[in-house]
Amino acid sequence: MAENLVLKGQTLSFADDPFLVGPEAAVEHYSDGAVWMQDGLIRGVGPAMEILDTATGATVVDYGDYLITAGFVDCHAHYPQLPIIASYGEHLLAWLEKYTFPIERRFNDPGHARAAADLFLDECLRNGITTSSVYATVHSSSVDAFFEAATERNLRMACGKVLMDRNAPEELCDTAESGYEQSKALIGKWHQVDRCVYAITPRFAPTSTPAQLEAAGELWKEHPDALVQTHLSENAKEITWVAELFPEAPDYFGVYEHFGLTGPGAIFGHAIHLTEREQAALRQSGSAIAHCPTSNTFIGSGLFDMAGLREGAQPVIVGLATDVAGGSSMSMFDVMRTAYEISQLRGYSLHPAKAWYLASVGSAKAMQLDDRIGNLAPGFEADVTVIDLVSTPLIEQRMAGADTLWDALFAQMILADDRAIRATYAQGRLVHQI
Ligand code: GUN
Ligand code: ZN
């Protein structure tokens, strides 16, 4: 790669965690700023005059008043489920049976999987998402299809083969042994190849036998730099079912603890209805939560306790996630807006700086990639999105009364959609523009 580019515009980056130090101290904003990207990495971020002085020989792209920020990071999504987005009328367990399992069966066809991966990744880029942690299906070839499509687009993506050996249609089941062997082979083939990251992916406790969860824990011990992703405490019936299936465990999180599936690099989707013990154990373990607000409202799962988990001296690592297609949108603006609305219903107002942090740095931390993606800083991979802050007449009208950066960011997360995403760069390469 030989890109040497300066993007001029407003820049937004994070010097710290706004939940810990407050929005003013956490956010760095240059209204007349620039980002210098060379050979796929960010070389500098700051006032345009300073950057232009140092970036000798760079091509300058002037984005005017557009906001230049790190690409969004989605730390929990199911690419095979995109075709069933907006499916009516069910809650989690019936939704899985009625919509999800039937569509996932079709991924035994590698051509189908590749077309679905292409569509999913193009939707990500149109929405300014440059990294996701993605569930494939039980079929190994669905992981191959996804990583091939991601590599073609130059994207840093995590993905894993779903492990299920019970309580699912037979064609979607592996065994403890075959699931382990296939996952291990996929790690050998893809993990840390180009920009790919492997995620060991037991779907959730109800669809794995103890033997399969044990094998997944063993595999993680053998490959500790891979991620683990699964679901936790999303829905009341699911939680009751887990208690029946694992009577020895103290609670749902305790099941994963028992099999060595908790700790830094483990990402738990949802985590809505945690007991006090689970909250404390999760916090102490260094595990992360993928908060999936548009899914939690759409399939009616419940109201996530953002304040309880993130405010205070030792916040849990939380990232934001679309959870398509339990989630009803590919837009991180929708995800941030719904996170705000759920918090409102719990009596807590999520500040826009905190929402944007969770949608970028928070998710990167969940994926243990926060030293290289999710922020604009020298040495970081140049995954960047460019946002038009007046992308519709309604937003233009609202922005006329927006006196502060916080007003402007808040107006975007409440009102904007994919029309606001004017350009997306992956490792310095332009991969989407309108
Ligand atoms: N729990 C187990 N599998 C799934 C899934 O595919 N989506 C959601 N939202 N929850 C799950
Ligand atoms: Zn999910």
Side-chain angles (χ1 to χ4, degrees):
M1 262 172 286
E3 292 95 350
N4 185 14
L5 278 182
V6 169
L7 312 184
K8 255 167 75 25
Q10 302 188 51
T11 62
L12 178 80
S13 54
F14 289 93
D16 209 330
D17 181 344
F19 288 88
L20 288 175
V21 303
E24 301 289 343
V27 170
E28 273 178 359
H29 172 243
Y30 296 102
S31 48
D32 193 1
V35 179
W36 178 20
M37 318 189 296
Q38 195 176 35
D39 300 327
L41 298 180
I42 293 172
R43 290 287 303 272
V45 185
M49 298 278 274
E50 281 176 29
I51 297 292
L52 289 169
D53 268 356
T54 44
T56 44
T59 305
V60 179
V61 184
D62 190 346
Y63 282 113
D65 281 338
Y66 291 175
L67 183 71
I68 302 167
T69 183
F72 291 119
V73 182
D74 173 2
C75 64
H76 181 126
H78 300 256
Y79 94 84
Q81 296 175 10
L82 204 49
I84 56 134
I85 196 165
S87 289
Y88 175 76
E90 301 298 347
H91 291 74
L92 177 65
L93 300 179
W95 175 85
L96 285 171
E97 293 283 341
K98 184 170 172 182
Y99 299 118
T100 309
F101 292 153
I103 194 77
E104 292 194 8
R105 280 196 177 113
R106 299 186 57 188
F107 285 71
N108 63 352
D109 170 0
H112 179 83
R114 178 56 200 261
D118 284 333
L119 184 73
F120 172 85
L121 290 170
D122 288 343
E123 278 299 304
C124 286
L125 297 179
R126 271 182 353 96
N127 285 284
I129 297 169
T130 45
T131 292
S132 309
S133 192
V134 177
Y135 291 59
T137 62
V138 72
H139 315 95
S140 282
S141 55
S142 72
V143 177
D144 291 333
F146 183 82
F147 279 138
E148 282 161 13
T151 301
E152 240 175 48
R153 289 166 178 76
N154 215 27
L155 294 172
R156 183 167 281 293
M157 286 278 160
C159 186
K161 177 200 119 70
V162 165
L163 300 166
M164 288 201 279
D165 68 344
R166 65 168 165 176
N167 295 323
E170 206 177 314
E171 310 132 77
L172 286 181
C173 282
D174 51 15
T175 65
E177 194 182 325
S178 71
Y180 167 91
E181 292 297 342
Q182 290 168 5
S183 302
K184 195 168 179 64
L186 288 165
I187 290 172
K189 185 170 178 184
W190 290 109
H191 184 52
Q192 292 174 346
V193 173
D194 294 316
R195 305 189 76 199
C196 303
V197 175
Y198 195 80
I200 299 165
T201 308
R203 177 173 221 118
F204 68 155
T207 46
S208 286
T209 59
Q212 180 160 72
L213 294 175
E214 191 168 330
E218 281 305 311
L219 184 59
W220 199 23
K221 267 197 212 111
E222 292 159 24
H223 300 278
D225 58 0
L227 299 173
V228 166
Q229 58 182 356
T230 189
H231 296 84
L232 170 69
S233 203
E234 178 178 4
N235 163 289
K237 280 191 188 152
E238 171 208 19
I239 295 166
T240 305
W241 194 22
V242 171
E244 288 163 12
L245 290 168
F246 297 90
E248 312 291 317
D251 44 44
Y252 198 160
F253 188 71
V255 173
Y256 296 125
E257 281 180 299
H258 179 77
F259 293 108
L261 291 166
T262 63
I267 308 169
F268 293 94
H270 307 288
I272 301 169
H273 310 283
L274 300 178
T275 63
E276 255 178 53
R277 193 210 78 82
E278 285 176 301
Q279 265 213 27
L282 198 150
R283 193 183 303 272
Q284 220 242 320
S285 72
S287 309
I289 295 173
H291 174 34
C292 311
T294 47
S295 170
N296 299 163
T297 52
F298 184 73
I299 54 173
S301 300
L303 305 178
F304 183 76
D305 182 11
M306 180 66 79
L309 290 157
R310 275 256 97 209
E311 294 291 353
Q314 201 198 338
V316 176
I317 299 166
V318 174
L320 287 187
T322 63
D323 189 30
V324 290
S328 53
S329 173
M330 283 295 296
S331 169
M332 285 308 248
F333 296 125
D334 284 344
V335 170
M336 289 191 281
R337 185 191 70 235
T338 311
Y340 175 80
E341 291 170 349
I342 287 174
S343 293
Q344 285 290 85
L345 286 167
R346 295 198 58 136
Y348 167 77
S349 300
L350 179 64
H351 191 281
K354 296 178 180 177
W356 286 68
Y357 175 86
L358 295 176
S360 50
V361 182
S363 287
K365 274 190 190 292
M367 297 176 70
Q368 297 205 297
L369 293 170
D370 54 306
D371 59 345
R372 59 181 83 179
I373 61 153
N375 207 351
L376 302 180
F380 274 50
E381 295 168 9
D383 295 345
V384 172
T385 192
V386 179
I387 301 171
D388 177 359
L389 298 178
V390 288
S391 58
T392 70
L394 189 63
I395 298 175
E396 192 169 4
Q397 185 189 53
R398 177 64 186 87
M399 285 292 286
D403 298 330
T404 65
L405 173 66
W406 309 138
D407 270 355
L409 294 179
F410 190 60
Q412 303 309 309
M413 63 185 249
I414 303 304
L415 297 170
D417 56 31
D418 55 302
R419 288 170 288 180
I421 305 294
R422 301 306 293 259
T424 303
Y425 291 82
Q427 270 197 325
R429 189 197 297 174
L430 184 64
V431 285
H432 166 76
Q433 88 175 318
I434 55 172

